[in-house]
Amino acid sequence: MLEVINIHKSFGDAHILKGVSATFEKGKTSLVIGQSGSGKTVFIKCMVGLLDPEEGEISFDSRIFNGLKEKEKRQIRKEIGMVFQGSALYDSMTVEENVMFPLKMFTSLSKTEMLERVSFVLNRVHLPDANNKYPSELSGGMKKRVAIARAIVMRPKYLFCDEPNSGLDPQTAIVIDNLIREITQEYDIITVINSHDMNSVMEIGDKIIFLKDGEKAWEGTKEDIFRTDNEAVVNFVYSSNLYKKVREAYRKDM
Amino acid sequence: MTNLEHIGAYVLMLFQVFRKPQKWDVFWTSLFKELDDLGLKSLGITAFIAFFVGGVVAIQTALNVDSPFIPKYLIGFATKRSMILEFAPTFVSVILAGKVGSYITSSIGTMRVTEQIDALEIMGINSLNYLVLPKVIAVLLFYPILVILAMFLGILGGWVAGILTDLFFTEDYIMGIQLEFNPYFIQYAIIKTVVFAFVIVTVSAYHGHKVSGGALEVGRASTKAVVWTSVVIILLNYFLTQMLLG
């Protein structure tokens, strides 16, 4: 289990996270949602160790991550996979080299074993023929799939995704969402997604955490979203007419 | 950040850079790639500039030394001394600060703003060690060779200029370049080159690694890196000359 307990993070005078706590479970896809500037990215960056919170604890299966020395953190980091908003693929490497990179750095597998593992994960993300392409030759959706392949090639226990659908058309976004959900269940990992894509919330949100002004304003499942009367959540989730109608229809059915 | 804070952050960065590579085979691969990117790909421009500057130094000296009391072999002597003592180590380093320094800052800076460095760090990779150490080692190994080549081509350029302009004779020029040859000057030039090469890579990498924002900030960081690298090279040149030749 991944536990975040009362974390605070400030930049100068700006208090970005004001005591956020949450728990994330294995085999479930959890979404952190909220408006731009609500602290979602800072929250996820604190969890993966890119930022150090001033207060609070982040515990990966009872191992308190923040406060550890860099060498000890490195061990936990090997269990973390991350998909970045812009994919963050290494421009100078081909798809195959990008995916193989963590294996080269952290395993003593032979070249053949590494290639097998790479080809397995690339097939898993439905990109069997892209091995020798460079990131500049890929579409946005393909880049995201390579980023997912790279994130799972080390068979992580924890998968973090920062806005995996940003910049993608709705159809590709659904493909990426489904892929993340399938991988989460198949590998039985803890997946945390930072998103403001309401389709993702409705499709794959086993658990949803709503952040507002650096605080956790609401928590629930995707079904709870339809039932909640929390004003902040309703205003955020149902800001579009389409979702307002969906909610009304759902409530009528109830 | 104040200048003092920048110096402190730069020193802290060096502690991260000079650590044992996490994977030696990955390090060797990066080192050979950097030897190609930062070394071999700088050969052309260095050779071109050295050859022509050598020619210009010889022509300028010949045109300014027109007294019959000053022997013509001084043209070769002056060209040799200028190339070995100043042009090859300092001028070439300033040129490389522009070419290689801006490349390092912009490539690392782009990796920073596109989250590629974050991706390395999340994996548990020391990004400074992984990205900067092979570059530092590559330039420390290659730039002395580059500078010796620049010395040779500069002196050759001076001789070719003499032949083409008829301003001096080959015999005089060769006598001049053989006159009072001091091997310590080569040593002095190589010491300077090694120090300047270190400055070019580390100052540029520092500016690239701390970029935040977007393309505009990467461009600004590149410019800043070239300016600061050149300033540091010129200042160090003064102190090293004083220490090694004074």
Side-chain angles (χ1 to χ4, degrees):
Chain A
M1 185 184 285
L2 168 58
E3 282 177 283
V4 179
I5 306 157
N6 194 33
I7 59 166
H8 287 258
K9 180 70 191 171
S10 304
F11 295 99
D13 294 334
H15 198 172
I16 307 297
L17 293 181
K18 302 164 186 164
V20 181
S21 298
T23 54
F24 304 97
E25 289 157 37
K26 261 187 176 182
K28 290 194 175 168
T29 314
S30 305
L31 275 97
V32 180
I33 61 169
Q35 284 181 312
S36 300
S38 59
K40 301 187 301 286
T41 302
V42 174
F43 183 59
I44 210 162
K45 283 190 171 176
C46 284
M47 280 195 277
V48 296
L50 283 176
L51 294 172
D52 273 325
E54 284 105 26
E55 264 182 63
E57 283 180 357
I58 294 147
S59 162
F60 287 85
D61 292 312
S62 307
R63 294 167 295 170
I64 312 291
F65 184 56
N66 54 317
L68 286 179
K69 286 185 179 162
E70 200 48 47
K71 209 173 178 181
E72 296 159 328
K73 274 185 182 174
R74 230 169 258 163
Q75 192 48 44
I76 297 181
R77 280 194 167 128
K78 286 179 196 166
E79 299 169 8
I80 294 176
M82 173 123 186
V83 179
F84 285 88
Q85 190 174 354
S87 302
L89 300 178
Y90 306 122
D91 299 324
S92 57
M93 298 183 193
T94 61
V95 166
E96 185 177 279
E97 288 164 343
N98 261 286
V99 180
M100 200 192 281
F101 183 71
L103 297 173
K104 268 189 182 172
M105 289 302 289
F106 298 110
T107 69
S108 46
L109 295 176
S110 68
K111 182 99 193 249
T112 323
E113 287 169 319
M114 281 195 249
L115 284 171
E116 270 172 25
R117 186 93 78 94
V118 169
S119 125
F120 175 78
V121 287
L122 284 176
N123 274 316
R124 183 66 198 80
V125 298
H126 315 299
L127 268 182
D129 303 318
N131 291 43
N132 296 319
K133 288 190 173 164
Y134 281 90
S136 57
E137 298 172 280
L138 304 176
S139 67
M142 287 163 95
K143 280 184 190 168
K144 286 278 157 67
R145 283 191 256 174
V146 178
I148 294 171
R150 186 177 66 183
I152 61 169
V153 75
M154 289 284 287
R155 294 175 186 156
K157 289 182 180 170
Y158 317 95
L159 179 65
F160 294 89
C161 307
D162 186 15
E163 309 213 2
N165 291 335
S166 80
L168 299 182
D169 63 88
Q171 216 173 352
T172 312
I174 289 169
V175 172
I176 297 294
D177 278 344
N178 289 335
L179 187 60
I180 293 172
R181 184 172 52 184
E182 284 163 22
I183 285 167
T184 304
Q185 289 167 353
E186 203 175 299
Y187 288 43
D188 196 26
I189 55 179
I190 294 171
T191 298
V192 182
I193 302 174
N194 174 2
S195 180
H196 46 222
D197 179 8
M198 292 324 298
N199 280 326
S200 301
V201 173
M202 303 302 184
E203 285 284 328
I204 58 167
D206 294 326
K207 180 178 195 170
I208 295 143
I209 289 165
F210 178 71
L211 292 187
K212 189 172 190 292
D213 301 327
E215 289 176 51
K216 187 169 80 178
W218 184 84
E219 184 179 328
T221 62
K222 62 184 172 193
E223 288 79 22
D224 295 336
I225 282 247
F226 292 109
R227 297 187 206 113
T228 183
D229 290 318
N230 182 306
E231 204 185 324
V233 178
V234 172
N235 286 342
F236 175 74
V237 175
Y238 304 105
S239 51
S240 85
N241 283 332
L242 176 66
Y243 283 113
K244 270 182 199 152
K245 283 174 186 162
V246 172
R247 184 177 189 238
E248 280 159 21
Y250 183 87
R251 290 200 150 197
K252 266 182 201 165
D253 286 349
M254 278 169 65
Chain B
M1 267 173 111
T2 64
N3 284 342
L4 203 63
E5 284 170 325
H6 277 295
I7 292 169
Y10 170 76
V11 173
L12 288 175
M13 177 197 86
L14 294 182
F15 282 113
Q16 292 297 317
V17 171
F18 291 99
R19 291 191 173 200
K20 196 180 123 196
Q22 279 168 278
K23 207 69 188 267
W24 280 104
D25 53 344
V26 175
F27 170 78
W28 292 121
T29 312
S30 302
L31 178 63
F32 284 109
K33 191 185 158 292
E34 299 301 352
L35 278 169
D36 180 41
D37 279 348
L38 308 180
L40 284 173
K41 285 182 181 156
S42 304
L43 262 176
I45 185 80
T46 308
F48 176 76
I49 294 176
F51 185 82
F52 281 95
V53 169
V56 170
V57 170
I59 293 171
Q60 294 269 26
T61 314
L63 292 174
N64 286 288
V65 179
D66 53 359
S67 161
F69 296 106
I70 301 175
K72 287 283 184 192
Y73 63 73
L74 271 185
I75 298 165
F77 181 75
T79 308
K80 177 193 71 179
R81 280 282 164 100
S82 326
M83 292 310 295
I84 292 177
L85 291 174
E86 273 316 304
F87 174 78
T90 312
F91 200 64
V92 166
S93 295
V94 172
I95 292 164
L96 292 176
K99 183 190 175 284
V100 172
S102 61
Y103 166 75
I104 292 174
T105 309
S106 52
S107 59
I108 295 181
T110 305
M111 285 187 78
R112 167 61 82 196
V113 300
T114 55
E115 296 178 310
Q116 292 176 47
I117 288 182
D118 287 347
L120 286 173
E121 293 189 342
I122 281 175
M123 285 179 204
I125 295 167
N126 174 346
S127 63
L128 283 165
N129 175 267
Y130 171 74
L131 293 171
V132 186
L133 187 63
K135 290 181 172 59
V136 175
I137 306 293
V139 296
L140 292 183
L141 290 174
F142 202 84
Y143 282 9
I145 300 169
L146 211 58
V147 162
I148 288 171
L149 182 81
M151 289 172 187
F152 172 76
L153 287 174
I155 294 168
L156 182 75
W159 173 65
V160 172
I163 293 172
L164 295 176
T165 56
D166 280 337
L167 282 169
F168 49 84
F169 297 112
T170 298
E171 295 75 26
D172 289 333
Y173 190 77
I174 288 178
M175 187 197 276
I177 61 176
Q178 288 175 333
L179 188 70
E180 283 184 36
F181 176 71
N182 186 349
Y184 177 69
F185 289 163
I186 306 278
Q187 225 174 304
Y188 156 79
I190 289 174
I191 293 171
K192 285 209 300 188
T193 305
V194 166
V195 174
F196 297 158
F198 181 83
V199 168
I200 291 170
V201 176
T202 53
V203 171
S204 307
Y206 169 74
H207 279 95
H209 202 264
K210 72 175 187 60
V211 167
S212 62
L216 192 64
E217 282 76 14
V218 174
R220 279 190 188 135
S222 257
T223 311
K224 223 187 241 182
V226 173
V227 170
W228 275 107
T229 309
S230 307
V231 168
V232 174
I233 286 174
I234 299 297
L235 286 175
L236 282 175
N237 185 39
Y238 175 80
F239 290 115
L240 286 171
T241 305
Q242 190 76 346
M243 275 164 62
L244 299 169
L245 295 181

